[in-house]
Every structure is written in structure tokens, then in C-alpha cells.
Amino acid sequence: MALDQSFVGRTYPPTAPYEVGREKIREFAEAIGDANPAYTDTEGAKALGHSDVIAPPTFVFAITFKAAGAVIEDPQLGLDYSRVVHGDQKFAYTRPVRAGDRLSVTSTIEAIKSLAGNDILDIRGEVHDASGEHVVTAWTKLVSRAPEGA
């Protein structure tokens, strides 16, 4: 069953703030194999012109995808998550994510398309810090595969 087009433009309430920690950034950088000192060493980050360590660009996916859960779990939307695969991800930064940031995400359904029986859902996550400054916009594309034989 195709997702309801009337959900396009629907915005969900902002998430509770997520506090970005130095250790989380370091662990993430290690997990992706990036030894950039901007991600792991406060003094190294300062030498590169940052006030503190910054997060690798894909770090924010963890909080934006969690925020997209409000869309995914919306019973009125009717998305069958057991059939969902991650289709695409992109980010547009205003500034890097920094240790100590308290970030909130507001998710909006940007598009719903049907293609060959599959539903394609585009979710935009606007990430702001505690002062309301825009940090990054993240776009997540989810594909809900058509049932077998459909």
C-alpha cells in the first residue's frame, strides 16, 4: 500500500537535546578509522582553528536517524519498517559539530514517491544547537520494498 502523499511537509517536534561528548567523537573517529587530530585531540583541534574537538561529518547521522524515528514510528503514516532499507544520506553543514554542543533535530517529510511498488520516503533533519544556531541539515532516503510478488 502506497504511503499517503498528504504527509509531505509534515514536521515533527524537535528532539530533546543530545550533548556531544569528546569521548563519543573519539570513539566514532576510531570506529571509522580516521585519526584526524581535529577529532581526537583538543590541542590538535585548536591548532587547526577549532575551539574544541569536532566530529567527523557523518557523526551526526546517529542523532538525525534517531530523530527520524518519529516519522518511521508514526502509526498514521503506515510505514512497514520491516521492509525498509536505507537508500541515501547527505549532509549540508553550516559549521562543524563540536564537543559540548547540545543538538536538537526537527524532522520533516520532504517527499514520498512510489516506484515499481516501492515507497521512497525523504526525511530532512534540521539540526540546531542550544542557542538556536543552525549546524547541519541531513537528508535521509528510506526505501520500503514492495511485498514479494506485488
Side-chain angles (χ1 to χ4, degrees):
M1 174 188 259
L3 297 177
D4 186 345
Q5 290 288 322
S6 73
F7 277 74
V8 173
R10 182 174 287 196
T11 298
Y12 293 78
T15 62
Y18 172 90
E19 188 165 342
V20 178
R22 281 186 199 94
E23 187 64 14
K24 286 288 186 188
I25 292 173
R26 185 190 63 74
E27 289 170 350
F28 186 86
E30 285 179 1
I32 63 171
D34 195 332
N36 184 331
Y39 307 149
T40 59
D41 177 60
T42 303
E43 294 309 312
K46 287 180 180 177
L48 293 168
H50 303 288
S51 60
D52 204 332
V53 294
I54 60 170
T58 55
F59 176 88
V60 77
F61 175 77
I63 62 171
T64 57
F65 191 72
K66 184 176 179 180
V71 177
I72 293 165
E73 296 167 5
D74 185 336
Q76 294 178 330
L77 179 61
L79 181 66
D80 179 359
Y81 193 71
S82 71
R83 307 204 59 77
V84 170
V85 294
H86 187 241
D88 192 19
Q89 188 70 49
K90 64 183 178 177
F91 305 97
Y93 276 85
T94 301
R95 68 161 177 84
V97 170
R98 303 178 190 118
D101 275 342
R102 292 178 52 81
L103 303 176
S104 294
V105 183
T106 302
S107 296
T108 300
I109 297 176
E110 233 179 35
I112 296 173
K113 298 177 226 155
S114 290
L115 183 62
N118 301 307
D119 286 324
I120 302 167
L121 178 65
D122 292 317
I123 304 168
R124 184 182 73 243
E126 297 289 346
V127 182
H128 292 85
D129 66 15
S131 69
E133 178 187 2
H134 179 265
V135 177
V136 58
T137 300
W139 290 270
T140 302
K141 183 179 297 289
L142 301 176
V143 180
S144 181
R145 297 169 291 119
E148 297 295 323

